[in-house]
Amino acid sequence: MGSPVHRVSLGDTWSRQVHPDIECERNIQSFNVERLTNILDGGAENTALRRKVESIIHSDPKCSLKDNYFMTQNECYEAAVQRKFHIQTIAKCLGWSENSPELFYAYRAVSGEVALNIHSLFLKALRSLGSEEQIAKWAPLCNNVQIITTYAQTELGHGTYLQGLETEATYDAATQEFVIHSPTVTATKWWPGDLGRSATHALVQAQLICSGARQGMHAFIVPIRSLEDHTPLPGITVGDIGPKMGFDYTDHGFLRLDHVRIPRDNMLSRFTQVLPDGTYLKLGKLQINYLSMVITRVNLLWGEVLPILQKACVIAIRYSVIRRQSCLRPSDPEAKVLDHQTQQQKLFPQLATVYAFHFLTNNLLEFFHSSYDAILNRDFSILPELHALSAGIKAMVSDLCSWGTELCCKACGGHGYSKLSGLPSLVARVTAACTYEGDNTVLYLQMARFLEKNYLLAQASQDSTSQRSLPQSVAYLTAPDLARCPAQKAADFLHPQLYTTAWAHVAARLIKDSVHHLQTLMQSGADRYEAWNQTTVMHVQAAKAHCHYVSVKNFTEALDKLENEPAIQQVLKRLCDLYALHGILTNSGDFLHDGFLSGAQVDAVRTAYLDLLPVIRKDAILLTDAFDFTDQSLNSALGCYDGNVYERLFEWAQRSPTNTQGNPAYEKYLRPLLQSSRAKL
Amino acid sequence: RRRREIENLILNDPDFQHEDLNFLSRSQRYEVAVKKSASMVKKMREFGIADPEEIVWFKKIHLVNFVEPVSLNYSMFIPTLLNQGTTAQQEKWLLSCKGLEIIGTYAQTEMGHGTHLRGLETTATYDPETQEFILNSPTVTSIKWWPGGLGKTSNHAIVLAQLITKGKCYGLHAFIVPIREIGTHKPLPGITVGDIGPKFGYDEMDNGYLKMDNYRIPRENMLMKYAQVKPDGTYVKPVSNKLTYGTMVFVRSFLVGEAARSLSKACTIAIRYSAVRHQSELKPGEPEPQILDFQTQQYKLFPLLATAYAFQFVGAYMKETYHRINEDIGQGDLSELPELHALAAGMKAFTSWTTNAAIEACRMACGGHGYSHCSGLPNIYVNFTPTCTFEGENTVMMLQTARFLMKSYDQVHSGKLMCGMVSYLNDLPSQRIQPQQVAVWPTVVDIDSPDSLTEAYKLRAARLVEIAAKNLQNEVIHRESKEVAWNLTSIDLVRASEAHCHYVVVKLFSEKLPKIQDKSIHTVLKNLCLLYCLYGVSQKAGDFLQGGIMTESQITQVNQRIKELLTVIRPDAVPLVDAFDFQDVTLGSVLGRYDGNVYENLFEWAKKSPLNKAEVHESYHKYLKPLQSKL
């Protein structure tokens, strides 16, 4: 099978030929790659649409990412604004609307490296927190980019803990205005994207004070830059927060507000209102503020975090069939590094993880959409579970994607360290996800509180005869539990039912232990808060195990739905097995601890795991091809479809400004030095 | 006194003011680096600093964290010349490269070949007619790639190439190759040289590429202290090859110390910032506590602090051992070299992997601000992480250690007693003549005793080495070749090496304790040592349970004891990082400032960003304004 036309598009002379080392990996296909791509895209029609959008975007040189690695922060930002501008123009021409799949695919094609990403986040927050009138007023302004918006929550001294934010919004009944103010240095808004150079309006989270009472965090639309000449408005100090590890293309900013007045209508008021006289009205629970965060998190995983690990896997695995190192047999040429067991051990668990997370986030997204309408109609019963899941899964997915991407980077040896591999930029970008949109530790603990509550509910319902049903994700807390794993031999561990149960057992035990420990401390006199702090390490471990269980269970359920695709089901089942077993081996202590697994059983798990590696090896390239990233969006000298790694690396390096722009350092410093030494000699 | 004198000279010299590199482009950073190198050389001449030790001191103060494009001239070019050049060659080249008339670098790695040296493709073919070597890069993959200072700075390189004479290939040899013309700095005909482009870190360094097309150099440019090519093309073999081990062992031992330093810096920043940062509430109504009071934060940082201390001691040990064994080698005693070689490889991998992950953990423990370059942590990370892949890729290093462990295991099996760090293999139950039960092992591990915990780690290492050895033997029986069997056991082998290295670290830390006289320091370090040991047990609980080394209830106690230790260490946390004694300028971190004035300085720092130079960015006029359709 030749390479599809849409892949080879970089137009280099040597890239017309696919490298034989990667071509032979595609010769024998145990499953239909195109079908798997369709499944990942959610249907063949989506694949077709995505490819159409990609070809439009990639044919426009102004949307190219080609020179990104050579740019300064300033140039990156400018290029990102330019790309946004062009995509917006294309969208207008072709009638792609906001939130359309076309735009989503367009952003995917340029790896999301456009300015004004938070603009759409503002819209989402507006839609979930704004009244109908507010949406009618502001949404069109946003959609037509008449205003550029950002979402300003985090402050210099305050992050994930919302109640700690210091920015104030004091209602002045006399003028029917809010006075927005940053009382201290630490209250300076810090980190919001697009704020530094771009935004004209910010959705500012601030403590509402009306009629002298503090009412907690609310969201206010605050104009910050002139719509005429873009200069900051009176009372506003705004700027860029300086260079970061990654995200050069985004102008993360700071914002200080000095008694800035905005009309009463600028407070988002779907769930709370301030009447003209300053009366405060609640139309729903305060926790509704969390809704926009939940939305953000779910979209973040799907659109930002997951594609990064997918790309890292594509790059590392493709490079590993081109790169050769040492001989496996004395007479043979040097072997492909992917044939080294240690390389498989590094990369295949990442590949399995990324598939597991694909189905996990997909499922979470569906769950979210099915609950969204209920919540907007003020039915909040599902919110705790949704909130806990979005928190815990955001933490797990960003943690493991970050770990995995870094591992892929290191697995490419020295060349992985070159920016031209694409991997450093991916690492720098994904790792930020561990601390933004809620620090992962704090998120695990939010999940833990939910688990604690439900564990206690489960206990109570077991004591009384009335069987109350728990939310679906924690239903296993009331299910009968085995004390010992029944597996007899290695092959038994390839049963989804068996390892799902094993994960349920460990999660349930860790939850039980942490709750009991908490209660013991409280019974011995510690107050709840102290006792909670003293058990947080345990709670985090319990939450991690629970999330792991959810992801394993979810993967096995996704496989069940693929019964019409036996070949694909089989190949994904191996990844699912690998994912579950790798998790057991990395946490074997937890499984051995209460004797659920015996030492011999852990050895059997290891055997089953090691036997999976060479089987997955055969499909490895195909499984990464299935993600169907264009070479342009991968933007990696190591990861291109055709495998011409070294030619590309050499050619790209020569484009570096260090090679094209002369060497002023020689003229200024080296030459005088060399000459002065010669004079002396 | 002389040191202070030099220190004062530098600190009072305006040429040596440190600017914030974070705001500069890569070309600018390279230029600043060259400028500093140049001024440093001039000052050394001016101050009459010539003694090697003084040079080291001078550079240390002067460069702080600095990556220096000419550094390979001193660290690789000159030492290789000294080690492998004949006296005549040294006389010819040394003076001009010490005076920097020649700036040299060392070109080994190729685009397609790294750790596996024999795979290098560059050729040096001898032509007896002209008495020259003809150097060639026959393929794309053979282009020299990565050498520091090669891209823009150097005018000579020591090139490693396959020597071919009289139609026969004799393996890798070193050649001095002029690459740029003296006076114009232009590449010489036949030479293609340049910068390999941007990397994760090391912006100041011009890592380069070098391609040679039928490029001729005189016969005398081959370094001929050991092997020689006679004018007629006859090859004379070197006497012994083992000595080249020395440099590798030295570099790897040195990298262990580097790991300790980088991790200590990261801990200093994260722990100081955690004492300044307040977040959430532990009890309603009370002010937000320091985040260092959260158990989760302590659990993230204190084990890393303990690791930093552990690696400091390991680094010191590696250095001492290297010097001790080096003296033995000088007297012709090579007996300890294999163990040192294996240990240096494994410890380099173990400490760099751990440190790499730990720096990231420190950065994430600083939340969002850790991600900003103001924290200094991204720089520490990007400059440290290549340690995992350079000077021997870590997995390959672990497998080298494993090779030594397997050899030792076989030797014990055939009745020989091992000494040194692997002597525990003598005690394996399977080695005893009288089969004895596990009962010989200390029945209960005392989790409050570093010595007893060292024993536990020893048992874990012994067990995993034995498992790997048995699996290897088993595969050897079933597979067509040893190499295939080795590959199919390599995951087990890496595990065994890791366990061995972990044991060595624990052992060195524990053995350090009795040597500490000061009682209060002893107490604090003992707690850190315990934390290091117990945290490892908790992380690898599966190994300790499966091996029957600890019971389930002991693991529960271990987990409990860790949390107690966190509370005990908490009051000393900041003094413990202060003790690393890094200057603010060395840390390069707003978050890690000694005085703790984080937020004010963060704001000041951000204002200096180039993006803030103009109130309205030019891209507004170019793109944003047209985007905003008229209101």
Side-chain angles (χ1 to χ4, degrees):
Chain A
M1 182 177 153
S3 54
V5 182
H6 67 269
R7 311 248 198 200
V8 180
S9 34
L10 292 181
D12 309 301
T13 46
W14 29 262
S15 77
R16 299 209 183 103
Q17 195 91 46
V18 173
H19 197 293
D21 280 351
I22 199 163
E23 194 168 31
C24 66
E25 301 278 342
R26 297 182 175 119
N27 282 344
I28 304 160
Q29 307 207 342
S30 68
F31 64 96
N32 184 331
V33 178
E34 182 69 13
R35 267 306 293 150
L36 181 53
T37 301
N38 297 157
I39 290 169
L40 291 171
D41 279 327
E45 62 288 355
N46 288 346
T47 306
L49 181 65
R50 176 172 57 71
R51 286 183 185 152
K52 193 182 109 195
V53 172
E54 281 165 352
S55 74
I56 293 169
I57 296 296
H58 291 327
S59 63
D60 186 339
K62 282 169 184 147
C63 294
S64 162
L65 301 172
K66 217 172 73 183
D67 291 323
N68 269 16
Y69 302 130
F70 304 130
M71 289 179 178
T72 63
Q73 191 191 0
N74 245 330
E75 291 162 347
C76 275
Y77 166 70
E78 189 170 329
V81 176
Q82 188 188 30
R83 273 195 291 274
K84 174 75 184 183
F85 177 77
H86 279 279
I87 292 178
Q88 206 68 32
T89 314
I90 294 170
K92 221 175 220 173
C93 265
L94 302 176
W96 300 344
S97 61
E98 185 68 33
N99 285 329
S100 65
E102 285 92 343
L103 262 188
F104 177 83
Y105 291 138
Y107 291 141
R108 176 182 140 121
V110 294
S111 299
E113 294 197 28
V114 290
L116 315 192
N117 279 316
I118 312 298
H119 191 63
S120 59
L121 209 89
F122 172 92
L123 258 174
K124 288 192 177 99
L126 175 71
R127 292 222 171 86
S128 50
L129 298 175
S131 65
E132 294 304 326
E133 304 83 71
Q134 286 172 325
I135 296 172
K137 176 180 173 189
W138 294 99
L141 293 175
C142 287
N143 283 333
N144 302 329
V145 207
Q146 284 166 310
I147 60 172
I148 296 165
T149 53
T150 179
Y151 181 84
Q153 177 174 303
T154 310
E155 296 174 358
L156 188 48
H158 311 276
T160 311
Y161 179 67
L162 272 187
Q163 284 93 314
L165 297 179
E166 295 178 78
T167 305
E168 292 168 349
T170 313
Y171 184 64
D172 179 355
T175 59
Q176 298 200 18
E177 287 172 323
F178 291 104
V179 183
I180 317 277
H181 184 59
S182 318
T184 60
V185 177
T186 45
T188 309
K189 292 291 177 189
W190 203 269
W191 278 112
D194 305 340
L195 174 63
R197 307 270 75 190
S198 317
T200 62
H201 288 66
L203 188 64
V204 173
Q205 287 276 358
Q207 296 280 356
L208 169 63
I209 304 169
C210 56
S211 312
R214 289 186 163 253
Q215 302 290 359
M217 300 310 307
H218 290 73
F220 303 85
I221 299 176
V222 183
I224 54 171
R225 283 193 176 93
S226 153
L227 290 173
E228 291 305 312
D229 61 6
H230 214 59
T231 50
L233 294 170
I236 301 280
T237 310
V238 63
D240 179 89
I241 61 161
K244 302 139 292 190
M245 194 166 174
F247 284 97
D248 276 0
Y249 60 88
T250 302
D251 53 326
H252 293 104
F254 60 77
L255 172 66
R256 291 188 53 77
L257 301 133
D258 184 8
H259 297 99
V260 173
R261 288 180 166 263
I262 55 165
R264 189 179 62 94
D265 295 341
N266 281 22
M267 180 177 114
L268 294 189
S269 49
R270 176 179 282 271
F271 299 102
T272 53
Q273 263 181 28
V274 173
L275 300 182
D277 66 351
T279 313
Y280 179 71
L281 280 187
K282 263 191 193 177
L283 309 169
K285 286 199 209 170
L286 200 64
Q287 61 176 352
I288 195 62
N289 256 7
Y290 289 120
L291 187 60
S292 66
M293 255 192 295
V294 172
I295 305 170
T296 308
R297 275 178 202 150
V298 180
N299 282 310
L300 173 80
L301 296 181
W302 183 252
E304 165 77 14
V305 178
L306 213 47
I308 293 181
L309 182 56
Q310 286 173 342
K311 285 182 188 171
C313 285
V314 174
I315 296 167
I317 291 177
R318 284 183 181 165
Y319 176 60
S320 295
V321 301
I322 300 297
R323 180 76 176 186
R324 288 171 176 273
Q325 160 90 40
S326 307
C327 311
L328 290 182
R329 288 173 191 76
S331 52
D332 286 3
E334 291 187 65
K336 293 177 176 182
V337 290
L338 198 61
D339 288 324
H340 290 266
Q341 193 189 43
T342 45
Q343 189 77 351
Q344 297 171 5
Q345 145 92 343
K346 285 176 195 172
L347 297 179
F348 294 166
Q350 310 318 318
L351 184 62
T353 300
V354 90
Y355 271 94
F357 288 174
H358 169 85
F359 293 110
L360 180 65
T361 48
N362 202 11
N363 195 28
L364 194 61
L365 216 56
E366 274 172 27
F367 180 45
F368 173 76
H369 286 303
S370 66
S371 359
Y372 187 68
D373 290 337
I375 291 169
L376 283 189
N377 291 320
R378 305 203 173 84
D379 169 10
F380 297 121
S381 59
I382 197 91
L383 197 58
E385 186 182 18
L386 188 61
H387 179 241
L389 273 177
S390 77
I393 288 176
K394 182 266 172 182
M396 174 177 69
V397 170
S398 57
D399 256 2
L400 295 186
C401 284
S402 188
W403 171 257
T405 306
E406 216 229 341
L407 209 151
C408 289
C409 182
K410 281 185 292 188
C412 292
H415 293 327
Y417 188 70
S418 165
K419 277 197 182 169
L420 306 181
S421 74
L423 291 163
S425 311
L426 294 175
V427 171
R429 197 163 147 185
V430 72
T431 191
C434 296
T435 47
Y436 68 57
E437 294 308 327
D439 175 79
N440 281 354
T441 304
V442 177
L443 295 182
Y444 279 129
L445 288 173
Q446 288 178 3
M447 168 64 98
R449 268 181 219 276
F450 171 79
L451 294 174
E452 182 206 359
K453 271 187 202 143
N454 282 286
Y455 175 79
L456 294 174
L457 275 179
Q459 291 307 104
S461 72
Q462 266 165 10
D463 293 345
S464 69
T465 43
S466 69
Q467 197 73 25
R468 275 172 61 189
S469 68
L470 293 180
Q472 199 207 342
S473 60
V474 285
Y476 68 97
L477 291 174
T478 52
D481 185 27
L482 295 171
R484 298 270 181 278
C485 174
Q488 308 271 326
K489 53 186 189 304
D492 293 344
F493 282 102
L494 301 179
H495 291 294
Q497 175 69 29
L498 187 121
Y499 52 66
T500 310
T501 315
W503 270 107
H505 173 85
V506 162
R509 181 178 67 79
L510 290 173
I511 294 168
K512 186 183 82 186
D513 282 359
S514 59
V515 175
H516 284 191
H517 205 74
L518 176 71
Q519 288 175 334
T520 313
L521 283 178
M522 282 162 66
Q523 277 155 15
S524 64
D527 66 36
R528 155 110 195 152
Y529 306 99
E530 185 53 30
W532 177 263
N533 187 33
Q534 287 309 315
T535 46
T536 42
V537 168
M538 292 181 85
H539 285 298
V540 168
Q541 278 157 357
K544 282 183 180 171
H546 170 74
C547 291
H548 216 122
Y549 155 76
V550 171
S551 62
V552 168
K553 180 162 182 280
N554 188 82
F555 201 166
T556 63
E557 286 167 357
L559 289 179
D560 292 341
K561 291 181 199 148
L562 291 173
E563 54 191 358
N564 295 329
E565 302 278 355
I568 287 174
Q569 193 184 38
Q570 189 189 29
V571 71
L572 291 183
K573 157 95 173 32
R574 289 182 200 126
L575 289 179
C576 182
D577 294 345
L578 190 82
Y579 177 72
L581 299 185
H582 180 256
I584 292 177
L585 288 175
T586 353
N587 300 284
S588 65
D590 291 336
F591 290 82
L592 286 160
H593 191 92
D594 59 350
F596 179 78
L597 289 186
S598 67
Q601 283 174 321
V602 171
D603 286 340
V605 172
R606 182 162 284 115
T607 306
Y609 167 80
L610 290 177
D611 289 346
L612 280 167
L613 295 176
V615 188
I616 293 172
R617 167 68 187 88
K618 296 192 187 79
D619 296 319
I621 287 294
L622 304 175
L623 283 165
T624 54
D625 284 350
F627 295 131
D628 200 30
F629 285 109
T630 57
D631 284 350
Q632 288 93 336
S633 82
L634 282 174
N635 202 17
S636 163
L638 304 189
C640 281
Y641 185 83
D642 63 22
N644 292 316
V645 166
Y646 297 113
E647 293 81 356
R648 196 165 273 122
L649 194 55
F650 189 43
E651 189 175 298
W652 286 16
Q654 293 175 63
R655 290 207 322 255
S656 170
T658 42
N659 293 323
T660 56
Q661 294 176 358
N663 185 2
Y666 171 73
E667 296 300 331
K668 281 195 217 164
Y669 308 110
L670 288 177
R671 195 218 288 270
L673 189 69
L674 296 169
Q675 284 171 350
S676 71
S677 73
R678 234 180 325 163
K680 267 194 183 171
L681 282 170
Chain B
R1 201 166 48 80
R2 176 71 176 168
R3 281 179 190 179
R4 292 237 173 91
E5 210 179 308
I6 297 173
E7 208 169 316
N8 282 335
L9 278 173
I10 292 174
L11 294 176
N12 300 327
D13 194 318
D15 283 359
F16 291 137
Q17 291 313 308
H18 294 277
E19 25 198 323
D20 197 324
L21 296 171
N22 288 309
F23 301 121
L24 303 181
S25 73
R26 194 175 156 234
S27 291
Q28 290 168 323
R29 286 171 84 143
Y30 167 68
E31 194 174 320
V32 170
V34 174
K35 178 179 159 193
K36 285 205 176 186
S37 298
S39 75
M40 184 191 71
V41 174
K42 275 192 229 150
K43 299 280 164 169
M44 285 201 297
R45 286 179 195 155
E46 209 173 285
F47 301 154
I49 296 170
D51 177 58
E53 196 149 321
E54 280 187 4
I55 293 181
V56 170
W57 245 92
F58 187 84
K59 285 176 80 169
K60 209 169 176 183
I61 307 163
H62 168 58
L63 296 166
V64 191
N65 299 316
F66 216 65
V67 179
E68 194 198 2
V70 300
S71 63
L72 268 86
N73 186 55
Y74 300 104
S75 65
M76 290 302 293
F77 191 86
I78 296 177
T80 311
L81 197 56
L82 288 173
N83 280 335
Q84 298 183 35
T86 62
T87 322
Q89 286 175 321
Q90 294 183 17
E91 269 169 21
K92 179 175 174 199
W93 297 96
L94 217 48
L95 195 62
S96 42
C97 56
K98 274 194 178 158
L100 277 187
E101 185 185 353
I102 284 176
I103 304 172
T105 181
Y106 182 82
Q108 174 178 306
T109 309
E110 295 174 1
M111 201 185 325
H113 311 275
T115 310
H116 184 64
L117 277 187
R118 275 168 298 163
L120 295 180
E121 297 175 81
T122 304
T123 55
T125 313
Y126 186 64
D127 177 0
E129 256 172 56
T130 57
Q131 300 199 13
E132 286 172 322
F133 288 104
I134 307 163
L135 288 158
N136 263 309
S137 313
T139 59
V140 183
T141 45
S142 72
I143 298 172
K144 294 289 177 189
W145 203 265
W146 280 111
L150 174 63
K152 304 269 110 184
T153 314
S154 302
N155 52 24
H156 282 68
I158 290 182
V159 169
L160 252 72
Q162 304 282 358
L163 167 65
I164 300 167
T165 178
K166 294 190 167 175
K168 213 179 144 194
C169 180
Y170 288 95
L172 287 178
H173 290 76
F175 302 85
I176 297 178
V177 182
I179 51 175
R180 290 176 184 274
E181 188 184 40
I182 307 280
T184 65
H185 213 57
K186 284 192 180 132
L188 292 163
I191 295 284
T192 310
V193 64
D195 175 86
I196 62 161
K199 298 141 300 198
F200 213 161
Y202 278 87
D203 278 359
E204 298 80 20
M205 179 64 91
D206 54 326
N207 297 83
Y209 59 77
L210 172 66
K211 188 170 176 292
M212 293 166 292
D213 294 306
N214 288 315
Y215 185 72
R216 287 173 174 265
I217 55 168
R219 186 183 66 93
E220 295 79 23
N221 280 23
M222 174 177 146
L223 295 182
M224 296 213 222
K225 188 169 179 180
Y226 300 108
Q228 286 178 31
V229 173
K230 299 276 178 203
D232 68 349
T234 312
Y235 180 75
V236 183
K237 264 207 298 199
V239 190
S240 156
N241 228 341
K242 259 194 180 169
L243 290 169
T244 46
Y245 270 163
T247 344
M248 276 194 293
V249 172
F250 169 73
V251 172
R252 288 171 193 162
S253 307
F254 169 79
L255 288 176
V256 175
E258 275 306 295
R261 262 183 296 283
S262 297
L263 179 52
S264 304
K265 276 191 213 164
C267 285
T268 305
I269 296 166
I271 288 177
R272 283 185 184 160
Y273 176 62
S274 298
V276 174
R277 178 82 173 181
H278 291 255
Q279 158 92 25
S280 304
E281 49 187 14
L282 284 173
K283 295 178 189 179
E286 287 186 10
E288 297 183 57
Q290 293 164 293
I291 57 173
L292 201 54
D293 286 330
F294 287 93
Q295 191 189 48
T296 45
Q297 188 76 355
Q298 296 170 0
Y299 190 71
K300 280 179 201 169
L301 295 177
F302 294 169
L304 305 182
L305 177 63
T307 308
Y309 270 90
F311 288 0
Q312 293 272 2
F313 298 133
V314 177
Y317 170 84
M318 293 301 297
K319 206 171 126 190
E320 280 162 31
T321 312
Y322 171 75
H323 286 302
R324 183 171 56 78
I325 295 183
N326 213 19
E327 271 173 36
D328 292 349
I329 295 172
Q331 287 158 10
D333 174 7
L334 297 178
S335 60
E336 280 190 82
L337 194 58
E339 173 167 11
L340 180 64
H341 180 248
L343 189 66
M347 294 312 284
K348 180 261 177 185
F350 184 82
T351 55
S352 62
W353 266 336
T354 311
T355 299
N356 184 65
I359 295 170
E360 269 291 84
C362 285
R363 187 183 60 69
M364 287 191 222
C366 293
H369 294 327
Y371 192 72
S372 164
H373 274 301
C374 73
S375 75
L377 290 164
N379 276 330
I380 297 176
Y381 170 76
V382 297
N383 284 339
F384 184 79
T385 188
T387 312
C388 296
T389 47
F390 68 40
E391 297 302 336
E393 197 276 329
N394 276 359
T395 303
V396 178
M397 292 300 95
M398 281 299 188
L399 288 170
Q400 280 186 9
T401 305
R403 217 170 270 283
F404 175 74
L405 292 172
M406 292 304 106
K407 223 184 214 170
S408 306
Y409 180 87
D410 286 346
Q411 286 182 343
V412 171
H413 224 68
S414 57
K416 247 197 192 163
L417 281 183
M418 297 306 297
C419 51
M421 291 289 186
V422 287
S423 57
Y424 59 85
L425 293 175
N426 302 333
D427 303 331
L428 282 174
S430 61
Q431 307 300 341
R432 294 204 184 86
I433 304 155
Q434 302 269 316
Q436 283 176 6
Q437 286 311 307
V438 190
V440 212
W441 296 1
T443 36
V444 178
V445 177
D446 175 0
I447 65 164
D448 277 316
S449 152
D451 291 337
S452 175
L453 286 163
T454 308
E455 283 299 303
Y457 274 93
K458 187 160 116 178
L459 294 175
R460 167 172 173 254
R463 176 174 171 270
L464 291 178
V465 168
E466 177 148 56
I467 289 176
K470 287 191 167 157
N471 288 348
L472 181 62
Q473 285 164 2
N474 199 28
E475 291 289 351
V476 167
I477 296 168
H478 291 101
R479 306 290 164 178
E480 73 257 45
S481 81
K482 261 193 176 170
E483 285 78 7
V484 173
W486 181 264
N487 184 34
L488 289 172
T489 327
S490 53
I491 292 176
D492 292 330
L493 291 165
V494 170
R495 260 179 98 208
S497 292
E498 278 181 319
H500 174 72
C501 292
H502 209 153
Y503 155 69
V504 173
V505 176
V506 165
K507 181 177 150 78
L508 292 174
F509 200 164
S510 310
E511 285 175 354
K512 186 80 195 171
L513 294 177
K515 292 179 196 148
I516 292 159
Q517 305 290 329
D518 184 304
K519 233 183 157 188
S520 57
I521 294 177
H522 181 270
T523 313
V524 174
L525 286 184
K526 187 185 167 193
N527 287 331
L528 280 180
C529 181
L530 279 176
L531 181 63
Y532 180 77
C533 299
L534 296 176
Y535 183 77
V537 170
S538 166
Q539 295 297 299
K540 302 282 174 191
D543 288 346
F544 289 90
L545 284 169
Q546 218 185 341
I549 301 162
M550 288 201 189
T551 63
E552 287 146 26
S553 70
Q554 277 182 309
I555 297 289
T556 308
Q557 284 168 27
V558 165
N559 289 331
Q560 191 49 38
R561 187 78 182 101
I562 289 173
K563 285 168 220 157
E564 290 164 20
L565 283 167
L566 297 179
T567 321
V568 175
I569 292 168
R570 169 66 184 91
D572 294 323
V574 172
L576 277 167
V577 295
D578 286 350
F580 292 135
D581 200 25
F582 288 114
Q583 302 226 349
D584 278 354
V585 57
T586 314
L587 286 178
S589 166
V590 179
L591 301 190
R593 292 169 65 94
Y594 184 80
D595 66 11
N597 294 320
V598 167
Y599 295 117
E600 302 78 355
N601 285 294
L602 193 48
F603 197 37
E604 289 308 309
W605 180 87
K607 286 186 197 158
K608 287 188 242 159
S609 167
L611 262 73
N612 289 328
K613 281 222 172 98
E615 195 70 78
V616 177
H617 196 263
E618 53 186 332
S619 60
Y620 168 74
H621 301 290
K622 279 198 211 158
Y623 305 109
L624 290 178
K625 188 137 178 112
L627 200 61
Q628 294 173 285
S629 32
K630 280 221 171 94
L631 277 170

